[in-house]
Amino acid sequence: MRLDVSEVNSYTVQQAINEGAAKVGAKTIKEGVHLVCAALKLYDIAPVLSVTCPARKPKLKDLPTAEQVMSMVRGTDIELPCLLAMWLSLRMSEVRGLQFRDLNGNVLTVCRSNIYFDGRNIVRDVNKTYKSTRRLTVPDYIKQLIEAVPHKKEDEFIVQMEYQTLRSKFYKLLEERGYHITFHDLRHLSASVMLMLNIPDKYAMERGGWSTNSTLKSVYQHTFSDERKQVDKKIDDYFNSLLEVLNKE
């Protein structure tokens, strides 16, 4: 909308929101309003806006089970990135940002993002949010997969496959099985597994790096190491039991 700054008010912004709601999602609309306000604030302009953004529509999906996903990726060259997302609750950018130096014994530090944007990779030594930087205990099975990846330097990426290649192979496997999910849904599946196992919210959020209650409730207290080990063991025992089932088939 080609408006003079003096014309930015509740009415014109609401008009823009209503027009945009027919084209883009509620999250994009909300971020757009925040961007406009932040830009104006740089010039000491702070309009008092009383607007209503569209509510986010719930996305209902029939996710495959964790066992079905493990069976699908077992033995493929995308097994490692898929398990990092589903077992350890990593985002795609976090999976692709891991380097061999981030693994110390069985402890993996998630501290970097490798984002694919506009046809190129953008590596950032920060994650999406403050709480996204975290340390996770790596189960032996995933550690073995990591150690099997050839590398010469510690600052090489653990998942060396390009974004488009990984995405293409993932969707090809899904098509063969008749599943309809995104790679990010593996992270949602991880949250579902933790819910099924009755993992307390504070541990689930720490493990997944969630910092808001849009997916899980906010964390307000420290998670103690002994209790955290019990949580990790409970989750690892579940996925290891799935591996045992697949090994018997």
Side-chain angles (χ1 to χ4, degrees):
M1 300 176 70
R2 299 183 62 85
L3 297 176
D4 186 89
V5 172
S6 63
E7 298 177 283
V8 178
N9 52 44
S10 296
Y11 176 78
T12 54
V13 173
Q14 187 66 62
Q15 183 181 358
I17 289 174
N18 296 343
E19 293 177 0
K23 305 174 184 178
V24 297
K27 182 179 179 181
T28 302
I29 293 292
K30 187 175 181 180
E31 291 174 346
V33 173
H34 289 166
L35 176 60
V36 170
C37 292
L40 293 175
K41 188 176 180 180
L42 290 174
Y43 297 93
D44 295 324
I45 302 171
V48 178
L49 300 179
S50 177
V51 296
T52 302
C53 291
R56 297 186 67 171
K57 297 179 181 179
K59 296 181 180 179
L60 301 178
K61 286 188 177 182
D62 292 324
L63 297 178
T65 65
E67 182 178 356
Q68 288 173 323
V69 172
M70 292 183 79
S71 176
M72 179 184 76
V73 302
R74 187 78 185 276
T76 69
D77 54 358
I78 65 169
E79 180 179 13
L80 176 57
C82 289
L83 291 188
L84 286 169
M86 183 176 68
W87 195 327
L88 297 182
S89 297
L90 268 61
R91 302 175 178 88
M92 167 75 94
S93 60
E94 294 171 340
V95 168
R96 299 184 62 246
L98 294 174
Q99 296 179 350
F100 289 95
R101 60 179 171 174
D102 300 328
L103 181 62
N104 184 10
N106 277 76
V107 177
L108 183 67
T109 301
V110 184
C111 59
R112 190 180 306 101
S113 297
N114 187 359
I115 303 167
Y116 182 81
F117 178 74
D118 199 22
R120 62 191 181 97
N121 294 318
I122 301 175
V123 180
R124 301 190 307 176
D125 288 329
V126 292
N127 288 324
K128 185 176 180 182
T129 65
Y130 172 76
K131 290 186 180 296
S132 294
T133 299
R134 57 205 187 275
R135 287 189 172 92
L136 302 172
T137 301
V138 178
D140 291 337
Y141 185 76
I142 290 183
K143 185 179 179 183
Q144 292 169 7
L145 291 177
I146 293 175
E147 292 174 341
V149 179
H151 69 285
K152 296 181 179 180
K153 299 179 180 179
E154 289 298 294
D155 60 353
E156 290 184 34
F157 290 112
I158 292 175
V159 176
Q160 301 169 3
M161 190 177 294
E162 287 296 327
Y163 171 84
Q164 294 285 40
T165 304
L166 172 56
R167 187 172 180 272
S168 176
K169 291 190 174 187
F170 179 67
Y171 284 118
K172 183 178 180 181
L173 288 178
L174 292 175
E175 185 178 359
E176 292 173 355
R177 299 293 183 107
Y179 302 146
H180 302 283
I181 62 173
T182 66
F183 191 90
H184 191 74
D185 283 332
L186 296 178
R187 186 166 146 84
H188 295 167
L189 187 55
S190 176
S192 298
V193 167
M194 287 189 281
L195 178 64
M196 179 188 66
L197 297 175
N198 294 317
I199 302 300
D201 287 344
K202 60 180 181 179
Y203 298 116
M205 290 192 65
E206 181 184 289
R207 185 178 175 93
W210 287 289
S211 60
T212 70
N213 60 359
S214 61
T215 307
L216 291 171
K217 296 177 182 178
S218 298
V219 180
Y220 292 108
Q221 60 190 102
H222 178 66
T223 51
F224 298 97
S225 58
D226 289 341
E227 294 176 344
R228 173 63 187 275
K229 289 178 181 178
Q230 294 177 18
V231 167
D232 290 341
K233 184 178 185 303
K234 191 172 185 179
I235 296 171
D236 290 345
D237 285 347
Y238 171 76
F239 282 105
N240 283 324
S241 70
L242 298 184
L243 288 172
E244 291 177 4
V245 172
L246 293 175
N247 287 334
K248 292 177 182 178
E249 293 180 352

